[in-house]
PDB file of all heavy atoms in Angstrom:
ATOM      1  N   GLN A  11      16.772  14.008  -0.022  1.00 91.00           N
ATOM      2  CA  GLN A  11      15.336  13.823  -0.009  1.00 91.00           C
ATOM      3  C   GLN A  11      14.599  15.219   0.086  1.00 91.00           C
ATOM      4  O   GLN A  11      15.216  16.234   0.268  1.00 91.00           O
ATOM      5  CB  GLN A  11      14.965  12.992   1.128  1.00 91.00           C
ATOM      6  CG  GLN A  11      15.504  11.571   1.084  1.00 91.00           C
ATOM      7  CD  GLN A  11      14.821  10.746   0.001  1.00 91.00           C
ATOM      8  OE1 GLN A  11      13.709  10.978  -0.386  1.00 91.00           O
ATOM      9  NE2 GLN A  11      15.486   9.690  -0.473  1.00 91.00           N
ATOM     10  N   PHE A  12      13.272  15.090  -0.020  1.00 93.00           N
ATOM     11  CA  PHE A  12      12.452  16.269   0.075  1.00 93.00           C
ATOM     12  C   PHE A  12      12.533  16.868   1.528  1.00 93.00           C
ATOM     13  O   PHE A  12      12.870  16.177   2.466  1.00 93.00           O
ATOM     14  CB  PHE A  12      11.044  16.084  -0.343  1.00 93.00           C
ATOM     15  CG  PHE A  12      10.281  14.960   0.368  1.00 93.00           C
ATOM     16  CD1 PHE A  12       9.451  15.271   1.405  1.00 93.00           C
ATOM     17  CD2 PHE A  12      10.413  13.600  -0.044  1.00 93.00           C
ATOM     18  CE1 PHE A  12       8.752  14.164   2.014  1.00 93.00           C
ATOM     19  CE2 PHE A  12       9.838  12.581   0.572  1.00 93.00           C
ATOM     20  CZ  PHE A  12       8.929  12.886   1.660  1.00 93.00           C
ATOM     21  N   ASP A  13      12.076  18.084   1.743  1.00 94.00           N
ATOM     22  CA  ASP A  13      12.380  18.831   3.010  1.00 94.00           C
ATOM     23  C   ASP A  13      11.673  18.085   4.186  1.00 94.00           C
ATOM     24  O   ASP A  13      12.337  17.974   5.206  1.00 94.00           O
ATOM     25  CB  ASP A  13      11.746  20.259   2.945  1.00 94.00           C
ATOM     26  CG  ASP A  13      12.627  21.076   2.042  1.00 94.00           C
ATOM     27  OD1 ASP A  13      13.762  20.771   1.715  1.00 94.00           O
ATOM     28  OD2 ASP A  13      12.115  22.201   1.703  1.00 94.00           O
ATOM     29  N   GLU A  14      10.444  17.589   4.066  1.00 94.00           N
ATOM     30  CA  GLU A  14       9.770  16.897   5.111  1.00 94.00           C
ATOM     31  C   GLU A  14      10.536  15.618   5.627  1.00 94.00           C
ATOM     32  O   GLU A  14      10.600  15.359   6.741  1.00 94.00           O
ATOM     33  CB  GLU A  14       8.313  16.451   4.749  1.00 94.00           C
ATOM     34  CG  GLU A  14       7.354  17.655   4.735  1.00 94.00           C
ATOM     35  CD  GLU A  14       6.003  17.071   4.223  1.00 94.00           C
ATOM     36  OE1 GLU A  14       5.373  16.301   4.980  1.00 94.00           O
ATOM     37  OE2 GLU A  14       5.602  17.460   3.141  1.00 94.00           O
ATOM     38  N   TYR A  15      11.140  15.001   4.554  1.00 95.00           N
ATOM     39  CA  TYR A  15      11.879  13.766   4.857  1.00 95.00           C
ATOM     40  C   TYR A  15      13.138  14.035   5.686  1.00 95.00           C
ATOM     41  O   TYR A  15      13.412  13.413   6.650  1.00 95.00           O
ATOM     42  CB  TYR A  15      12.266  13.109   3.564  1.00 95.00           C
ATOM     43  CG  TYR A  15      12.423  11.614   3.521  1.00 95.00           C
ATOM     44  CD1 TYR A  15      11.356  10.779   3.374  1.00 95.00           C
ATOM     45  CD2 TYR A  15      13.674  11.075   3.639  1.00 95.00           C
ATOM     46  CE1 TYR A  15      11.416   9.413   3.351  1.00 95.00           C
ATOM     47  CE2 TYR A  15      13.783   9.682   3.604  1.00 95.00           C
ATOM     48  CZ  TYR A  15      12.670   8.893   3.475  1.00 95.00           C
ATOM     49  OH  TYR A  15      12.820   7.487   3.395  1.00 95.00           O
ATOM     50  N   VAL A  16      13.901  15.102   5.251  1.00 96.00           N
ATOM     51  CA  VAL A  16      15.070  15.463   5.979  1.00 96.00           C
ATOM     52  C   VAL A  16      14.685  16.044   7.386  1.00 96.00           C
ATOM     53  O   VAL A  16      15.393  15.649   8.364  1.00 96.00           O
ATOM     54  CB  VAL A  16      15.863  16.585   5.166  1.00 96.00           C
ATOM     55  CG1 VAL A  16      16.990  17.112   5.979  1.00 96.00           C
ATOM     56  CG2 VAL A  16      16.334  16.008   3.820  1.00 96.00           C
ATOM     57  N   LYS A  17      13.676  16.780   7.495  1.00 96.00           N
ATOM     58  CA  LYS A  17      13.264  17.264   8.737  1.00 96.00           C
ATOM     59  C   LYS A  17      12.850  16.089   9.644  1.00 96.00           C
ATOM     60  O   LYS A  17      13.147  16.105  10.872  1.00 96.00           O
ATOM     61  CB  LYS A  17      12.008  18.215   8.565  1.00 96.00           C
ATOM     62  CG  LYS A  17      11.563  18.789   9.914  1.00 96.00           C
ATOM     63  CD  LYS A  17      10.397  19.796   9.654  1.00 96.00           C
ATOM     64  CE  LYS A  17       9.993  20.365  11.033  1.00 96.00           C
ATOM     65  NZ  LYS A  17       8.915  21.194  10.949  1.00 96.00           N
ATOM     66  N   TYR A  18      12.203  15.118   9.155  1.00 97.00           N
ATOM     67  CA  TYR A  18      11.751  13.881   9.947  1.00 97.00           C
ATOM     68  C   TYR A  18      13.092  13.253  10.449  1.00 97.00           C
ATOM     69  O   TYR A  18      13.174  12.905  11.628  1.00 97.00           O
ATOM     70  CB  TYR A  18      10.974  12.935   9.096  1.00 97.00           C
ATOM     71  CG  TYR A  18      10.845  11.571   9.656  1.00 97.00           C
ATOM     72  CD1 TYR A  18       9.966  11.463  10.794  1.00 97.00           C
ATOM     73  CD2 TYR A  18      11.513  10.483   9.164  1.00 97.00           C
ATOM     74  CE1 TYR A  18       9.802  10.157  11.359  1.00 97.00           C
ATOM     75  CE2 TYR A  18      11.276   9.205   9.740  1.00 97.00           C
ATOM     76  CZ  TYR A  18      10.473   9.119  10.901  1.00 97.00           C
ATOM     77  OH  TYR A  18      10.374   7.884  11.497  1.00 97.00           O
ATOM     78  N   HIS A  19      14.085  13.048   9.543  1.00 97.00           N
ATOM     79  CA  HIS A  19      15.350  12.499   9.995  1.00 97.00           C
ATOM     80  C   HIS A  19      16.012  13.330  11.147  1.00 97.00           C
ATOM     81  O   HIS A  19      16.435  12.825  12.188  1.00 97.00           O
ATOM     82  CB  HIS A  19      16.287  12.336   8.863  1.00 97.00           C
ATOM     83  CG  HIS A  19      17.657  11.973   9.273  1.00 97.00           C
ATOM     84  ND1 HIS A  19      18.677  12.982   9.633  1.00 97.00           N
ATOM     85  CD2 HIS A  19      18.350  10.781   9.486  1.00 97.00           C
ATOM     86  CE1 HIS A  19      19.791  12.365   9.973  1.00 97.00           C
ATOM     87  NE2 HIS A  19      19.591  11.016   9.855  1.00 97.00           N
ATOM     88  N   ASP A  20      16.085  14.632  10.882  1.00 97.00           N
ATOM     89  CA  ASP A  20      16.778  15.587  11.738  1.00 97.00           C
ATOM     90  C   ASP A  20      16.171  15.787  13.068  1.00 97.00           C
ATOM     91  O   ASP A  20      16.815  16.072  14.031  1.00 97.00           O
ATOM     92  CB  ASP A  20      17.015  16.953  11.085  1.00 97.00           C
ATOM     93  CG  ASP A  20      17.999  16.847   9.968  1.00 97.00           C
ATOM     94  OD1 ASP A  20      18.535  15.777   9.588  1.00 97.00           O
ATOM     95  OD2 ASP A  20      18.192  17.912   9.269  1.00 97.00           O
ATOM     96  N   GLU A  21      14.771  15.706  13.133  1.00 96.00           N
ATOM     97  CA  GLU A  21      14.173  16.074  14.333  1.00 96.00           C
ATOM     98  C   GLU A  21      13.393  14.900  15.063  1.00 96.00           C
ATOM     99  O   GLU A  21      12.991  15.114  16.269  1.00 96.00           O
ATOM    100  CB  GLU A  21      13.140  17.179  14.057  1.00 96.00           C
ATOM    101  CG  GLU A  21      13.838  18.465  13.571  1.00 96.00           C
ATOM    102  CD  GLU A  21      12.934  19.590  13.158  1.00 96.00           C
ATOM    103  OE1 GLU A  21      11.623  19.430  13.453  1.00 96.00           O
ATOM    104  OE2 GLU A  21      13.364  20.588  12.554  1.00 96.00           O
ATOM    105  N   GLU A  22      13.079  13.853  14.414  1.00 96.00           N
ATOM    106  CA  GLU A  22      12.308  12.831  15.018  1.00 96.00           C
ATOM    107  C   GLU A  22      12.874  11.453  15.017  1.00 96.00           C
ATOM    108  O   GLU A  22      12.843  10.766  16.059  1.00 96.00           O
ATOM    109  CB  GLU A  22      10.948  12.637  14.253  1.00 96.00           C
ATOM    110  CG  GLU A  22       9.975  13.827  14.451  1.00 96.00           C
ATOM    111  CD  GLU A  22       8.671  13.575  13.745  1.00 96.00           C
ATOM    112  OE1 GLU A  22       7.775  12.834  14.400  1.00 96.00           O
ATOM    113  OE2 GLU A  22       8.468  14.015  12.634  1.00 96.00           O
ATOM    114  N   TRP A  23      13.317  10.923  13.974  1.00 97.00           N
ATOM    115  CA  TRP A  23      13.694   9.586  13.811  1.00 97.00           C
ATOM    116  C   TRP A  23      14.784   9.261  14.787  1.00 97.00           C
ATOM    117  O   TRP A  23      15.842   9.863  14.898  1.00 97.00           O
ATOM    118  CB  TRP A  23      14.193   9.253  12.364  1.00 97.00           C
ATOM    119  CG  TRP A  23      14.399   7.776  12.044  1.00 97.00           C
ATOM    120  CD1 TRP A  23      13.368   6.889  11.854  1.00 97.00           C
ATOM    121  CD2 TRP A  23      15.584   7.071  11.892  1.00 97.00           C
ATOM    122  NE1 TRP A  23      13.856   5.667  11.590  1.00 97.00           N
ATOM    123  CE2 TRP A  23      15.213   5.777  11.597  1.00 97.00           C
ATOM    124  CE3 TRP A  23      16.925   7.478  11.979  1.00 97.00           C
ATOM    125  CZ2 TRP A  23      16.198   4.797  11.304  1.00 97.00           C
ATOM    126  CZ3 TRP A  23      17.872   6.451  11.735  1.00 97.00           C
ATOM    127  CH2 TRP A  23      17.487   5.173  11.420  1.00 97.00           C
ATOM    128  N   GLY A  24      14.419   8.204  15.595  1.00 96.00           N
ATOM    129  CA  GLY A  24      15.486   7.679  16.534  1.00 96.00           C
ATOM    130  C   GLY A  24      15.509   8.357  17.878  1.00 96.00           C
ATOM    131  O   GLY A  24      16.165   7.910  18.818  1.00 96.00           O
ATOM    132  N   LEU A  25      14.721   9.452  17.968  1.00 97.00           N
ATOM    133  CA  LEU A  25      14.594  10.103  19.322  1.00 97.00           C
ATOM    134  C   LEU A  25      13.719   9.249  20.231  1.00 97.00           C
ATOM    135  O   LEU A  25      12.572   8.956  19.861  1.00 97.00           O
ATOM    136  CB  LEU A  25      13.928  11.481  19.173  1.00 97.00           C
ATOM    137  CG  LEU A  25      13.956  12.393  20.317  1.00 97.00           C
ATOM    138  CD1 LEU A  25      15.336  12.761  20.788  1.00 97.00           C
ATOM    139  CD2 LEU A  25      13.117  13.650  20.055  1.00 97.00           C
ATOM    140  N   PRO A  26      14.191   8.849  21.406  1.00 97.00           N
ATOM    141  CA  PRO A  26      13.421   8.017  22.314  1.00 97.00           C
ATOM    142  C   PRO A  26      12.112   8.659  22.687  1.00 97.00           C
ATOM    143  O   PRO A  26      11.973   9.757  23.076  1.00 97.00           O
ATOM    144  CB  PRO A  26      14.345   7.848  23.602  1.00 97.00           C
ATOM    145  CG  PRO A  26      15.738   8.080  23.045  1.00 97.00           C
ATOM    146  CD  PRO A  26      15.579   9.043  21.951  1.00 97.00           C
ATOM    147  N   VAL A  27      11.003   7.839  22.411  1.00 97.00           N
ATOM    148  CA  VAL A  27       9.618   8.227  22.596  1.00 97.00           C
ATOM    149  C   VAL A  27       9.077   7.661  23.837  1.00 97.00           C
ATOM    150  O   VAL A  27       9.267   6.433  24.082  1.00 97.00           O
ATOM    151  CB  VAL A  27       8.775   7.860  21.394  1.00 97.00           C
ATOM    152  CG1 VAL A  27       7.230   7.992  21.730  1.00 97.00           C
ATOM    153  CG2 VAL A  27       9.173   8.569  20.105  1.00 97.00           C
ATOM    154  N   HIS A  28       8.430   8.404  24.668  1.00 98.00           N
ATOM    155  CA  HIS A  28       7.812   7.915  25.909  1.00 98.00           C
ATOM    156  C   HIS A  28       6.389   8.446  25.979  1.00 98.00           C
ATOM    157  O   HIS A  28       5.777   8.573  27.089  1.00 98.00           O
ATOM    158  CB  HIS A  28       8.632   8.287  27.139  1.00 98.00           C
ATOM    159  CG  HIS A  28       9.924   7.663  27.172  1.00 98.00           C
ATOM    160  ND1 HIS A  28      10.094   6.317  27.478  1.00 98.00           N
ATOM    161  CD2 HIS A  28      11.189   8.077  26.930  1.00 98.00           C
ATOM    162  CE1 HIS A  28      11.341   5.998  27.423  1.00 98.00           C
ATOM    163  NE2 HIS A  28      12.061   7.004  27.095  1.00 98.00           N
ATOM    164  N   ASP A  29       5.808   8.858  24.883  1.00 98.00           N
ATOM    165  CA  ASP A  29       4.430   9.348  24.783  1.00 98.00           C
ATOM    166  C   ASP A  29       3.592   8.339  24.003  1.00 98.00           C
ATOM    167  O   ASP A  29       3.785   8.048  22.898  1.00 98.00           O
ATOM    168  CB  ASP A  29       4.512  10.710  24.041  1.00 98.00           C
ATOM    169  CG  ASP A  29       3.181  11.409  23.883  1.00 98.00           C
ATOM    170  OD1 ASP A  29       2.136  10.721  23.800  1.00 98.00           O
ATOM    171  OD2 ASP A  29       3.194  12.599  23.852  1.00 98.00           O
ATOM    172  N   ASP A  30       2.520   7.840  24.761  1.00 98.00           N
ATOM    173  CA  ASP A  30       1.699   6.808  24.132  1.00 98.00           C
ATOM    174  C   ASP A  30       1.027   7.316  22.816  1.00 98.00           C
ATOM    175  O   ASP A  30       0.882   6.489  21.865  1.00 98.00           O
ATOM    176  CB  ASP A  30       0.589   6.339  25.035  1.00 98.00           C
ATOM    177  CG  ASP A  30       1.151   5.275  26.014  1.00 98.00           C
ATOM    178  OD1 ASP A  30       2.356   4.995  26.077  1.00 98.00           O
ATOM    179  OD2 ASP A  30       0.256   4.680  26.703  1.00 98.00           O
ATOM    180  N   LYS A  31       0.667   8.545  22.778  1.00 98.00           N
ATOM    181  CA  LYS A  31       0.053   9.037  21.487  1.00 98.00           C
ATOM    182  C   LYS A  31       1.023   8.940  20.345  1.00 98.00           C
ATOM    183  O   LYS A  31       0.629   8.645  19.204  1.00 98.00           O
ATOM    184  CB  LYS A  31      -0.403  10.524  21.696  1.00 98.00           C
ATOM    185  CG  LYS A  31      -1.211  11.059  20.582  1.00 98.00           C
ATOM    186  CD  LYS A  31      -1.844  12.404  20.958  1.00 98.00           C
ATOM    187  CE  LYS A  31      -2.543  12.988  19.804  1.00 98.00           C
ATOM    188  NZ  LYS A  31      -2.981  14.382  20.140  1.00 98.00           N
ATOM    189  N   VAL A  32       2.318   9.263  20.570  1.00 98.00           N
ATOM    190  CA  VAL A  32       3.283   9.133  19.499  1.00 98.00           C
ATOM    191  C   VAL A  32       3.563   7.655  19.128  1.00 98.00           C
ATOM    192  O   VAL A  32       3.620   7.380  17.919  1.00 98.00           O
ATOM    193  CB  VAL A  32       4.595   9.835  19.924  1.00 98.00           C
ATOM    194  CG1 VAL A  32       5.705   9.697  18.828  1.00 98.00           C
ATOM    195  CG2 VAL A  32       4.357  11.297  20.206  1.00 98.00           C
ATOM    196  N   HIS A  33       3.523   6.772  20.173  1.00 98.00           N
ATOM    197  CA  HIS A  33       3.624   5.340  19.803  1.00 98.00           C
ATOM    198  C   HIS A  33       2.507   4.939  18.909  1.00 98.00           C
ATOM    199  O   HIS A  33       2.656   4.251  17.927  1.00 98.00           O
ATOM    200  CB  HIS A  33       3.739   4.518  21.077  1.00 98.00           C
ATOM    201  CG  HIS A  33       5.014   4.472  21.742  1.00 98.00           C
ATOM    202  ND1 HIS A  33       6.158   3.893  21.082  1.00 98.00           N
ATOM    203  CD2 HIS A  33       5.456   4.887  22.908  1.00 98.00           C
ATOM    204  CE1 HIS A  33       7.202   3.942  21.931  1.00 98.00           C
ATOM    205  NE2 HIS A  33       6.837   4.569  23.024  1.00 98.00           N
ATOM    206  N   PHE A  34       1.344   5.389  19.238  1.00 98.00           N
ATOM    207  CA  PHE A  34       0.128   4.989  18.500  1.00 98.00           C
ATOM    208  C   PHE A  34       0.206   5.490  17.120  1.00 98.00           C
ATOM    209  O   PHE A  34      -0.118   4.829  16.132  1.00 98.00           O
ATOM    210  CB  PHE A  34      -1.165   5.419  19.204  1.00 98.00           C
ATOM    211  CG  PHE A  34      -2.428   4.999  18.492  1.00 98.00           C
ATOM    212  CD1 PHE A  34      -2.718   3.601  18.368  1.00 98.00           C
ATOM    213  CD2 PHE A  34      -3.287   5.956  17.933  1.00 98.00           C
ATOM    214  CE1 PHE A  34      -3.844   3.199  17.756  1.00 98.00           C
ATOM    215  CE2 PHE A  34      -4.398   5.526  17.310  1.00 98.00           C
ATOM    216  CZ  PHE A  34      -4.707   4.254  17.155  1.00 98.00           C
ATOM    217  N   GLU A  35       0.638   6.751  17.002  1.00 98.00           N
ATOM    218  CA  GLU A  35       0.760   7.349  15.631  1.00 98.00           C
ATOM    219  C   GLU A  35       1.726   6.474  14.771  1.00 98.00           C
ATOM    220  O   GLU A  35       1.374   6.084  13.649  1.00 98.00           O
ATOM    221  CB  GLU A  35       1.351   8.794  15.719  1.00 98.00           C
ATOM    222  CG  GLU A  35       1.667   9.389  14.402  1.00 98.00           C
ATOM    223  CD  GLU A  35       2.266  10.842  14.551  1.00 98.00           C
ATOM    224  OE1 GLU A  35       2.402  11.335  15.654  1.00 98.00           O
ATOM    225  OE2 GLU A  35       2.558  11.380  13.420  1.00 98.00           O
ATOM    226  N   PHE A  36       2.876   6.147  15.357  1.00 97.00           N
ATOM    227  CA  PHE A  36       3.832   5.349  14.600  1.00 97.00           C
ATOM    228  C   PHE A  36       3.343   3.952  14.282  1.00 97.00           C
ATOM    229  O   PHE A  36       3.680   3.349  13.224  1.00 97.00           O
ATOM    230  CB  PHE A  36       5.256   5.458  15.155  1.00 97.00           C
ATOM    231  CG  PHE A  36       5.934   6.659  14.774  1.00 97.00           C
ATOM    232  CD1 PHE A  36       6.024   7.741  15.637  1.00 97.00           C
ATOM    233  CD2 PHE A  36       6.471   6.834  13.574  1.00 97.00           C
ATOM    234  CE1 PHE A  36       6.600   8.902  15.234  1.00 97.00           C
ATOM    235  CE2 PHE A  36       7.051   7.998  13.097  1.00 97.00           C
ATOM    236  CZ  PHE A  36       7.169   9.038  13.951  1.00 97.00           C
ATOM    237  N   LEU A  37       2.546   3.356  15.174  1.00 97.00           N
ATOM    238  CA  LEU A  37       2.027   2.031  14.837  1.00 97.00           C
ATOM    239  C   LEU A  37       1.064   2.166  13.627  1.00 97.00           C
ATOM    240  O   LEU A  37       1.097   1.296  12.772  1.00 97.00           O
ATOM    241  CB  LEU A  37       1.243   1.489  16.113  1.00 97.00           C
ATOM    242  CG  LEU A  37       2.095   0.881  17.181  1.00 97.00           C
ATOM    243  CD1 LEU A  37       1.226   0.510  18.357  1.00 97.00           C
ATOM    244  CD2 LEU A  37       2.841  -0.293  16.650  1.00 97.00           C
ATOM    245  N   ILE A  38       0.305   3.206  13.611  1.00 97.00           N
ATOM    246  CA  ILE A  38      -0.549   3.427  12.440  1.00 97.00           C
ATOM    247  C   ILE A  38       0.221   3.606  11.187  1.00 97.00           C
ATOM    248  O   ILE A  38       0.003   3.006  10.210  1.00 97.00           O
ATOM    249  CB  ILE A  38      -1.586   4.554  12.658  1.00 97.00           C
ATOM    250  CG1 ILE A  38      -2.726   4.117  13.630  1.00 97.00           C
ATOM    251  CG2 ILE A  38      -2.246   4.992  11.363  1.00 97.00           C
ATOM    252  CD1 ILE A  38      -3.695   5.155  13.964  1.00 97.00           C
ATOM    253  N   LEU A  39       1.158   4.598  11.302  1.00 97.00           N
ATOM    254  CA  LEU A  39       1.970   4.929  10.077  1.00 97.00           C
ATOM    255  C   LEU A  39       2.839   3.772   9.624  1.00 97.00           C
ATOM    256  O   LEU A  39       2.912   3.596   8.377  1.00 97.00           O
ATOM    257  CB  LEU A  39       2.785   6.163  10.360  1.00 97.00           C
ATOM    258  CG  LEU A  39       1.988   7.472  10.730  1.00 97.00           C
ATOM    259  CD1 LEU A  39       3.035   8.582  11.096  1.00 97.00           C
ATOM    260  CD2 LEU A  39       1.098   7.833   9.491  1.00 97.00           C
ATOM    261  N   GLU A  40       3.467   3.077  10.449  1.00 96.00           N
ATOM    262  CA  GLU A  40       4.360   1.932  10.094  1.00 96.00           C
ATOM    263  C   GLU A  40       3.536   0.852   9.533  1.00 96.00           C
ATOM    264  O   GLU A  40       3.964   0.219   8.536  1.00 96.00           O
ATOM    265  CB  GLU A  40       5.216   1.431  11.264  1.00 96.00           C
ATOM    266  CG  GLU A  40       6.125   2.408  11.809  1.00 96.00           C
ATOM    267  CD  GLU A  40       7.331   2.918  10.897  1.00 96.00           C
ATOM    268  OE1 GLU A  40       7.468   2.309   9.838  1.00 96.00           O
ATOM    269  OE2 GLU A  40       8.024   3.800  11.332  1.00 96.00           O
ATOM    270  N   GLY A  41       2.371   0.585  10.050  1.00 95.00           N
ATOM    271  CA  GLY A  41       1.429  -0.374   9.530  1.00 95.00           C
ATOM    272  C   GLY A  41       0.975  -0.113   8.156  1.00 95.00           C
ATOM    273  O   GLY A  41       0.848  -0.887   7.301  1.00 95.00           O
TER     274      GLY A  41
END
Side-chain angles (χ1 to χ4, degrees):
Q11 295 290 337
F12 58 96
D13 289 345
E14 285 177 68
Y15 208 84
V16 173
K17 184 177 178 184
Y18 169 71
H19 170 273
D20 289 0
E21 297 176 10
E22 289 185 81
W23 192 73
L25 188 65
V27 168
H28 294 287
D29 181 329
D30 275 11
K31 188 174 178 182
V32 176
H33 278 298
F34 183 65
E35 174 180 0
F36 278 100
L37 283 174
I38 287 180
L39 297 176
E40 298 293 355

